[in-house]
Amino acid sequence: MEEEENRTKLARIVASAVLLVVAVVVQRTVELPMWGYLLAYLVPYLVAGYDVLAEAWEGVREGDPFDEDFLMAIATIGALAIGFLPGSDPEFAEAVFVMLFFQVGELFEDIAEDRSERSISHLMDIRPDVATVVRDGAEKVVSPADVRVGETIVVRPGERVPLDGVVLEGETSLDTMALTGESMPRPAGVGDELLSGCVNVSGVVRARVTKSFGESTASKVLDLVENASESKSRSEAFITRFARVYTPVVVFAAVATALVPPLVSGDFAASFPTWLARALTFLVVSCPCALVISVPLTFFGGLGGASRRGILVKGSNYLEALAKAGVVVFDKTGTLTKGEFKVVSVVSAAQAGEKDVAPATAAPAGASAAAPAGAAAPAGASDELLHFAAHVESFSNHPIATALREAFSCLDDGCEVADVHEVAGKGVVGTVNGHVVAVGNELLMQERGVACASAHERGTIVHVASDDAYLGYVVIADEPKPDARKAVADIKAEGVRRTVMLTGDRASVAESVASELGIDEVHAELLPQDKVSEVERLISEKGEGETLAFVGDGINDAPVLARADIGIAMGALGSDAAIDAADVVLMDDEPSKIAVAIRVARRTLRIARQNTVFAIAVKVAVLVLAFFGLASMWLAVFADVGVMVLAVLNATRALR
C-alpha cells in the first residue's frame, strides 16, 4: 500500500513538472490577461500540492496550523498573489517550483521510512496450534486455548511445548533457542519448569499446566512485541520541530510588515500596497524550501551511504536516534559470539591437578600416568580423551556431540561402539572397544562414583571417564566473533558512555565473555520479558538527550529490539522476527559495523545541522533587507532557490 502511494506521488510530481513546462510556454508565447496566466499555473500547482493545501487547512480547522504544510501553503499562495499587485512581476512559476521541490523531499522521506513498518508474523511459529491433554485417562489433541490450568499435557520429542507447566513424569532436553537465543539444549526432569515455545528434543514428558494459554511465555513474547512497538520512542522529524517555531514567527512577522508600517505612517491607503508587496516578498524569502528539501535529502544520503557499507537503516528518524546513542545493549549468542560451539581446550586429569581428582584415578591403556599440576600432558592423554568422547557421541545430534565429533577427525578408525544410551540431563554412557565410557556433566560423574576436576573455565565443561576412571574434561564454548572486541572499543571511541550485555546464558559464561570483550555491565540467565525489563530500567537511567540502542539477532530479541529507542539486528544470520522488529539491520553480521553506523548517523546529522544554520542565516539576512525594501524579488528567489541548491549540494556529501 505504501509503495503504491509513493508511485502515485511520483506520478503527480512528473505530471506537475510537465504541466509547469506547458504553462511557461503559454506565458511566453500567448498574450493573456493576468488571471489567464494564473489559471495556467494553477493546474500544475494544484496537481503537485493539493494534499499540502488540504493538510494546511485541516491544521487551521483543528487549531494547530503552524507546521511546514501551512507555511508552504501561505508562502506559495503569496507568490501567486504578488503578480496582481501594482508594479509587481508575476511569480507564478516560483510558486509551482516551491511546491514541486517540497513534494520531492516528502517523497524521499517516505521512501526512506517505508521499511520501518514490517510484519512480525514469523513470531507466530513459536506459539503451537495444538496441545495433547490427558482427560478421563485418554489423550486428546485440542487447541492450547482450551487447556485449563492444572490439567496434564503430554509433549513428545520434536513437539513444541504448548503451555507453561511443571514436569510430572519423564526426562528430556529442551531446545530453548526460540526464547533465550541459546543453542545449547537444557535438561528437564521431574519438578523442572517447561516454558511454552521450547522444543522437546529427546524424551516424552508429562507436565501439569501452570498458566493459561494467554498467560503463557510464548503468548507474552508476542504481546511484548506488539506493546513495545506502540510505546517505542520515535523522534519527531527534525524539520517539523523547527517549523513549529519558525512558521508562526514568519507568519506574524509578515502580517506585521503588511499592517504596522502603513498604520504608523498615517496614510494607510497610500502605503499599504507597498508594504503588502514587501510582506509577500517576505513570505517568498521565508519559504522553507532549502530546509524541507536539503534536510530529508541529507538523511536520505546518509541512508544510502550506510547501505553501501552493509548497514540497512529503516528511516531517517532512526538515523537521528542512532546519532544520539549513549547506551548500547548487546545480546550475546549470535551477536557478539559466533553461535557455533567448538572444542576450545582438552584438559587431561594430569593437567587438571591431582588434588582435584580421586587418588585411585587410573589412565586408560596407552595414556600416561598423572603429572603434577600445571605440567604439560602428553599428546596421548588428550587424544585418548577425545577419542572416547567423540565415539560415544557419534550417534547424537546434540550440539555438544557435534562439537566433539568435529574436534576428533578419525571416527572411521574401526573402533567398536555399543550400548550407547543417554542419561537425561547428565550425559551419555556407552562402550568403546570394551571400555565403558561416560561423557557428561558433574552429575553423571557423581552418579558413577567418579571424582572429577573442579573446572572454572568459560564454556560448557564435558567430563570423560573410562571404566569409572577419570580421564579429564573438554571445554566447549561459543567463541566471540573476530571483530567483537574491536566493535566494543570502537563504539566507546564514538562517545558511547555505557555498554551492557543481556543474555539467557549462564552467569559465569556471560561474565567471562563480557570481561574478554571489555563490556561494562552484564546481566545473565534472562528470559525475553526479563530483557525488556532490564532495557526499561536502562532507558530510565540514560542521560538527557541520549538514546538507547539494543543489538540482537534471535526471535527472543524481537520484543526488546522493538522497545529500545533504536533496535539493531544482525541480518545475515538473525531471525526474521528480529529483523522485522529492528530499526537497523547489519546485513553481514559484523558487530564492528555498529560503530560505523553511529559514525554515519552523526555525520549525517551534522550535515543536516549545517544546512539548517546556513539556510536560516541567509534567510534572516534577506528578510531584514526585504523589510526595508532593499531586497528585490531576485534576491528573494536566491534566498529560496539558491540556498536550496547549495544546501542540496552539501547534502550529497552524506552519500560519501
Side-chain angles (χ1 to χ4, degrees):
M1 185 64 181
E2 292 173 341
E3 290 183 0
E4 183 178 342
E5 291 177 355
N6 287 338
R7 285 195 295 268
T8 300
K9 179 173 284 188
L10 178 60
R12 285 173 48 206
I13 291 171
V14 172
S16 179
V18 172
L19 291 170
L20 174 60
V21 172
V22 172
V24 171
V25 172
V26 168
Q27 183 182 15
R28 294 185 178 183
T29 59
V30 181
E31 190 71 31
L32 293 174
M34 189 66 72
W35 60 265
Y37 294 134
L38 176 62
L39 290 177
Y41 281 101
L42 274 179
V43 175
Y45 175 79
L46 293 175
V47 169
Y50 71 86
D51 54 341
V52 175
L53 298 176
E55 289 291 333
W57 176 242
E58 183 177 350
V60 171
R61 288 194 299 113
E62 294 179 354
D64 185 22
F66 297 120
D67 58 13
E68 68 268 28
D69 291 317
F70 178 74
L71 187 53
M72 282 300 304
I74 195 170
T76 52
I77 291 173
L80 292 172
I82 284 179
F84 291 93
L85 292 176
S88 298
D89 295 325
E91 296 294 339
F92 303 142
E94 167 71 10
V96 181
F97 268 122
V98 167
M99 191 62 75
L100 266 176
F101 290 148
F102 178 77
Q103 291 290 32
V104 169
E106 289 289 295
L107 178 62
F108 285 155
E109 187 80 1
D110 291 341
I111 292 173
E113 294 182 354
D114 279 350
R115 295 175 181 175
S116 65
E117 302 297 331
R118 295 282 188 89
S119 170
I120 54 172
S121 59
H122 302 87
L123 272 176
M124 297 305 295
D125 292 339
I126 76 171
R127 187 157 57 184
D129 296 325
V130 297
T132 302
V133 63
V134 178
R135 290 176 179 169
D136 299 326
E139 296 181 6
K140 296 182 179 179
V141 178
V142 300
S143 168
D146 296 334
V147 179
R148 297 184 297 274
V149 174
E151 289 193 293
T152 300
I153 58 173
V154 179
V155 187
R156 294 180 170 79
E159 294 181 349
R160 196 175 292 276
V161 179
L163 299 122
D164 291 3
V166 176
V167 177
L168 299 176
E169 299 177 19
E171 293 181 331
T172 188
S173 295
L174 297 173
D175 180 354
T176 64
M177 182 176 291
L179 295 179
T180 66
E182 304 304 319
S183 57
M184 187 68 71
R186 295 185 176 184
V190 176
D192 291 333
E193 185 179 19
L194 285 184
L195 296 179
S196 58
C198 297
V199 176
N200 186 6
V201 175
S202 54
V204 178
V205 294
R206 292 187 172 218
R208 176 175 54 83
V209 176
T210 56
K211 292 181 181 179
S212 64
F213 182 61
E215 295 297 318
S216 66
T217 300
S219 295
K220 284 185 175 180
V221 169
L222 300 178
D223 292 341
L224 280 171
V225 174
E226 295 173 1
N227 294 334
S229 297
E230 293 175 1
S231 61
K232 183 177 181 67
S233 172
R234 295 189 183 275
S235 298
E236 291 182 277
F238 178 81
I239 191 61
T240 301
R241 296 200 308 273
F242 170 78
R244 286 185 175 177
V245 176
Y246 180 75
T247 305
V249 169
V250 165
V251 171
F252 290 134
V255 172
T257 299
L259 297 178
V260 174
L263 290 174
V264 173
S265 68
D267 189 357
F268 184 87
S271 60
F272 177 69
T274 299
W275 285 102
L276 179 58
R278 292 182 183 181
L280 292 176
T281 303
F282 191 94
L283 285 175
V284 172
V285 173
S286 67
C287 178
C289 190
L291 297 176
V292 300
I293 299 302
S294 68
V295 171
L297 273 180
T298 301
F299 281 107
F300 192 73
L303 296 175
S307 66
R308 288 205 297 270
R309 293 167 174 81
I311 303 166
L312 173 62
V313 185
K314 295 183 178 179
S316 58
N317 52 333
Y318 301 124
L319 265 183
E320 185 176 1
L322 188 60
K324 300 175 182 177
V327 181
V328 176
V329 183
F330 298 93
D331 173 49
K332 181 180 76 67
T333 304
T335 300
L336 293 173
T337 63
K338 296 178 180 178
E340 301 173 358
F341 289 87
K342 302 289 184 183
V343 171
V344 296
S345 64
V346 180
V347 181
S348 69
Q351 290 172 308
E354 289 183 284
K355 65 179 182 179
D356 291 327
V357 299
T361 295
S368 300
S382 297
D383 291 345
E384 193 75 12
L385 191 157
L386 265 182
H387 170 268
F388 280 142
H391 277 79
V392 169
E393 297 278 14
S394 59
F395 302 107
S396 173
N397 59 1
H398 194 286
I400 288 179
T402 302
L404 289 170
R405 290 197 301 272
E406 290 178 350
F408 187 80
S409 58
C410 302
L411 285 175
D412 56 350
D413 55 5
C415 290
E416 183 180 344
V417 182
D419 301 327
V420 177
H421 61 279
E422 180 180 352
V423 182
K426 299 175 183 178
V428 178
V429 177
T431 301
V432 181
N433 292 339
H435 296 281
V436 178
V437 179
V439 180
N441 57 25
E442 290 186 19
L443 295 177
L444 181 63
M445 297 296 107
Q446 292 172 9
E447 183 178 281
R448 301 190 64 84
V450 178
C452 61
S454 299
H456 303 286
E457 301 189 43
R458 181 177 69 82
T460 299
I461 307 300
V462 180
H463 298 279
V464 182
S466 173
D467 296 327
D468 293 335
Y470 186 61
L471 302 185
Y473 61 86
V474 180
V475 182
I476 298 176
D478 180 13
E479 296 180 289
K481 292 181 178 178
D483 64 336
R485 183 174 181 83
K486 178 179 184 297
V488 176
D490 288 350
I491 287 169
K492 291 182 177 180
E494 288 297 324
V496 173
R497 63 176 182 82
R498 187 178 186 185
T499 55
V500 183
M501 185 170 74
L502 307 180
T503 178
D505 208 345
R506 301 193 314 275
S508 58
V509 175
E511 289 170 0
S512 177
V513 172
S515 175
E516 181 179 347
L517 300 183
I519 293 176
D520 303 325
E521 184 179 334
V522 60
H523 301 275
E525 301 180 13
L526 303 176
L527 290 173
Q529 54 265 43
D530 301 325
K531 288 185 178 181
V532 173
S533 298
E534 286 293 335
V535 166
E536 293 276 6
R537 178 183 63 81
L538 291 168
I539 288 175
S540 68
E541 295 174 358
K542 68 184 180 182
E544 184 70 26
E546 285 185 341
T547 59
L548 179 144
F550 178 84
V551 189
D553 74 311
I555 290 177
N556 60 294
D557 295 325
V560 68
L561 282 167
R563 178 61 190 96
D565 294 328
I566 186 81
I568 305 174
M570 312 301 288
L573 299 177
S575 73
D576 291 338
I579 294 173
D580 288 342
D583 309 312
V584 179
V585 178
L586 307 182
M587 301 305 293
D588 54 8
D589 272 341
E590 295 180 5
S592 57
K593 292 293 181 66
I594 300 168
V596 177
I598 294 174
R599 188 157 53 248
V600 168
R602 289 180 175 171
R603 183 169 184 267
T604 301
L605 197 61
R606 187 163 57 249
I607 292 173
R609 287 172 175 165
Q610 289 171 358
N611 283 340
T612 301
V613 171
F614 172 66
I616 293 175
V618 173
K619 285 182 179 293
V620 168
V622 178
L623 285 172
V624 172
L625 295 175
F627 178 81
F628 292 105
L630 301 176
S632 66
M633 186 54 66
W634 283 109
L635 187 56
V637 170
F638 168 76
D640 178 25
V641 180
V643 169
M644 183 273 293
V645 171
L646 293 176
V648 167
L649 290 175
N650 188 43
T652 59
R653 294 172 49 232
L655 287 168
R656 296 190 296 273

